[in-house]
Amino acid sequence: MIAIVGTILLYYVAKTFKPAFVPLNEIDSTYIGKTISTSGKIISVTYSKGNIFLTLYERNSTISVPIFSSVAKYLDISLKKGQTIIVSGMVDEYKGKLQIIPKKPSDIKVVG
C-alpha cells in the first residue's frame, strides 16, 4: 500500500513541478545541473540536422538554448528572431558557455 501511495505521490509531484524562474542575467555556473525557467528575446535561430539552436537575450545577457531533434520534431510553434519566449530546462555548460536544455516541447512557450 505504501508503495502505491508513494508512486502516486511521485507522479503528482512530477506532473505539477514547476522549475524556479531565474532572470536570464542572474544565471551563472552555480545553476549547472539544475532545472530552471527563464525568459528572453530570440536574437538568433539556427537549424541543423533537425536541431534548433537559439540564443536568448535579456538585460545585456545571453544564453544558448539547444533544442535537440528529439524535442524539436514535436514543437508545434514556429521560433523566430525577435520573439520573446519562456524556456525551462537543465542548465549545462558547452565549450565554456552556459546553456539551457529543454527536455520536452512544453518547456518552450512563445509569449511575445
Side-chain angles (χ1 to χ4, degrees), residues 39-75:
S39 66
K41 182 178 277 195
I42 299 172
I43 60 169
S44 74
V45 181
T46 306
Y47 297 89
S48 176
K49 299 178 184 175
N51 304 305
I52 305 170
F53 300 96
L54 307 176
T55 302
L56 297 186
Y57 172 85
E58 187 69 41
R59 296 185 184 182
N60 296 322
S61 297
T62 61
I63 197 160
S64 298
V65 180
I67 307 168
F68 297 113
S69 61
S70 59
V71 173
K73 66 183 173 185
Y74 296 108
L75 281 177

Side-chain angles (χ1 to χ4, degrees), residues 10-27:
L10 283 174
Y11 177 79
Y12 175 76
V13 169
K15 291 300 265 180
T16 59
F17 171 75
K18 294 197 184 214
F21 184 87
V22 180
L24 197 148
N25 64 322
E26 293 180 15
I27 300 171

Side-chain angles (χ1 to χ4, degrees), residues 42 77-80 83-87 108-112:
I42 299 172
I77 55 175
S78 178
L79 298 168
K80 300 176 188 142
Q83 290 176 315
T84 298
I85 66 169
I86 296 174
V87 62
I108 304 151
K109 294 179 179 57
V110 176
V111 293

